[in-house]
């Protein structure tokens, strides 16, 4: 398996899923089945809380009910789309073709009708994530003056004298590329351990050591301030860096 495929698998297997569903039993069922597959789960019982979670946590995918108190699922989906391209799977009791077309027109990535088999939801989540991650990982990733090429396994910083290629270890590259595919999101140390570190290095302090080395190399190449620590949580790539 090449490095790009490994990064894709890491992103899918460690994805954060936001479930916006006002029926606690249904939210619990979906969350339980997704958790069994290794996904990290956060839930919201209405659209307002769901949108707050989406803005703060930057989930990898949203499972969204249409019939919600207050803002309905269509309104929530429209707001998510104005913010970006987070994949969204609609889950609803509505089965009319017009309802499906409305959701797809606004920008839903898939649609599941209640009553459903929870395993079907899991399969849809995996399929949408793999399509999204495969699309993103084929592209050059740019953060300020930094360019990451997942295909060539190369990282460059654009400096005044020309591009500077960083000499990163495999783990440092994985951490940087993993975070760059979800720019602006805060990554907990435990997630970076699970996603990017080889077995035998699964300690939070080991992540801190790799990140410290990575920050030192970025700073030496003129990209100081790109990779920042978030007290008590972990790390993020500053998406305002270089702007």
């Amino acid at each position: 398996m090449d490095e790009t495929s490994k990064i894709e698998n890491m992103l899918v297997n460690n994805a954060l899923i936001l479930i916006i569903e006002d029926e606690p039993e249904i939210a619990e069922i979906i969350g339980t089945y997704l958790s069994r597959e290794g996904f990290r789960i956060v839930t919201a019982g209405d659209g307002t809380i769901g949108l707050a979670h989406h803005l703060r946590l930057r989930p990898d995918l949203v499972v969204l009910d249409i019939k919600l108190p207050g803002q309905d699922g269509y309104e929530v989906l429209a707001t998510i789309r104005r913010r970006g391209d987070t994949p969204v799977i609609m889950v609803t009791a509505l089965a009319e073709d017009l309802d499906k077309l409305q959701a797809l027109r606004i920008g839903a990535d898939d649609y599941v009708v209640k009553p459903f088999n929870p395993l079907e939801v899991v399969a849809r989540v995996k399929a949408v994530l793999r399509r999204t991650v495969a699309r993103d990982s084929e592209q050059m990733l740019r953060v300020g003056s930094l360019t990451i090429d997942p295909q060539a396994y190369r990282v460059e910083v654009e400096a005044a004298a020309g591009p500077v290629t960083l000499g990163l270890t495999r783990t440092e590259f994985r951490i940087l590329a993993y975070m760059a595919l979800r720019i602006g999101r805060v990554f907990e140390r435990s997630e970076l351990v699970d996603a990017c570190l080889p077995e035998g290095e699964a300690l939070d302090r080991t992540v801190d050591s790799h990140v410290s080395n990575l920050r030192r190399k970025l700073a030496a190449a003129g990209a100081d301030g790109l990779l920042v620590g978030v007290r008590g949580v972990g790390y993020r790539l500053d998406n305002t860096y270089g702007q």
Side-chain angles (χ1 to χ4, degrees):
M1 182 183 295
D2 61 25
E3 194 63 31
T4 300
S5 297
K6 291 178 181 177
I7 293 171
E8 290 176 8
N9 284 335
M10 287 188 289
L11 283 165
V12 172
N13 294 337
N14 291 274
L16 174 63
I17 311 298
L18 169 60
I19 302 170
I20 307 178
E21 167 62 65
D22 65 323
E23 296 185 52
E25 298 84 358
I26 294 178
E28 183 179 1
I29 290 171
I30 296 173
T32 297
Y33 275 80
L34 289 172
S35 296
R36 289 175 182 172
E37 296 296 317
F39 295 113
R40 294 171 298 119
I41 305 300
V42 63
T43 61
D46 63 53
T48 301
I49 296 175
L51 286 173
H53 285 340
H54 176 263
L55 186 62
R56 181 173 63 90
L57 300 174
R58 298 177 180 268
D60 297 296
L61 183 142
V62 177
V63 177
L64 174 63
D65 188 22
I66 286 182
K67 291 293 186 179
L68 294 171
Q71 299 182 79
D72 66 20
Y74 295 130
E75 295 174 293
V76 174
L77 175 59
T79 300
I80 290 174
R81 280 293 160 265
R82 287 194 294 271
R83 292 176 177 175
D85 57 358
T86 307
V88 177
I89 297 177
M90 306 297 286
V91 180
T92 179
L94 302 174
E96 297 295 329
D97 288 342
L98 288 177
D99 297 317
K100 297 179 183 179
L101 290 174
Q102 171 75 349
L104 294 173
R105 182 184 66 80
I106 297 174
D109 294 87
D110 206 345
Y111 195 107
V112 179
V113 177
K114 301 174 185 176
F116 54 79
N117 183 334
L119 293 175
E120 178 186 1
V121 178
V122 172
R124 299 286 186 93
V125 166
K126 288 182 176 180
V128 171
L129 280 173
R130 289 197 179 280
R131 289 199 303 269
T132 304
V133 170
R135 177 199 67 202
D136 293 346
S137 63
E138 289 176 355
Q139 303 172 359
M140 298 283 281
L141 306 172
R142 292 183 173 83
V143 187
S145 62
L146 184 72
T147 300
I148 303 171
D149 186 347
Q151 302 292 324
Y153 198 75
R154 183 173 63 247
V155 178
E156 291 183 343
V157 175
E158 188 61 42
V164 177
T165 300
L166 298 185
L168 302 182
T169 66
R170 182 179 295 270
T171 299
E172 291 165 358
F173 179 86
R174 286 180 175 177
I175 291 172
L176 189 60
Y178 184 80
M179 296 178 71
L181 281 165
R182 296 292 180 266
I183 186 66
R185 181 177 134 195
V186 177
F187 293 86
E188 296 182 3
R189 289 176 175 83
S190 58
E191 179 182 355
L192 295 176
V193 166
D194 292 341
C196 303
L197 267 63
E199 292 185 13
E201 291 190 23
L203 296 171
D204 286 0
R205 64 176 178 270
T206 307
V207 168
D208 291 339
S209 177
H210 287 297
V211 170
S212 177
N213 290 334
L214 182 54
R215 293 170 79 175
R216 175 176 51 79
K217 293 177 182 180
L218 287 167
D224 190 21
L226 172 66
L227 178 53
V228 299
V230 179
R231 180 182 291 272
V233 183
Y235 301 97
R236 68 177 171 83
L237 290 182
D238 186 356
N239 57 342
T240 64
Y241 170 82
Q243 297 181 3

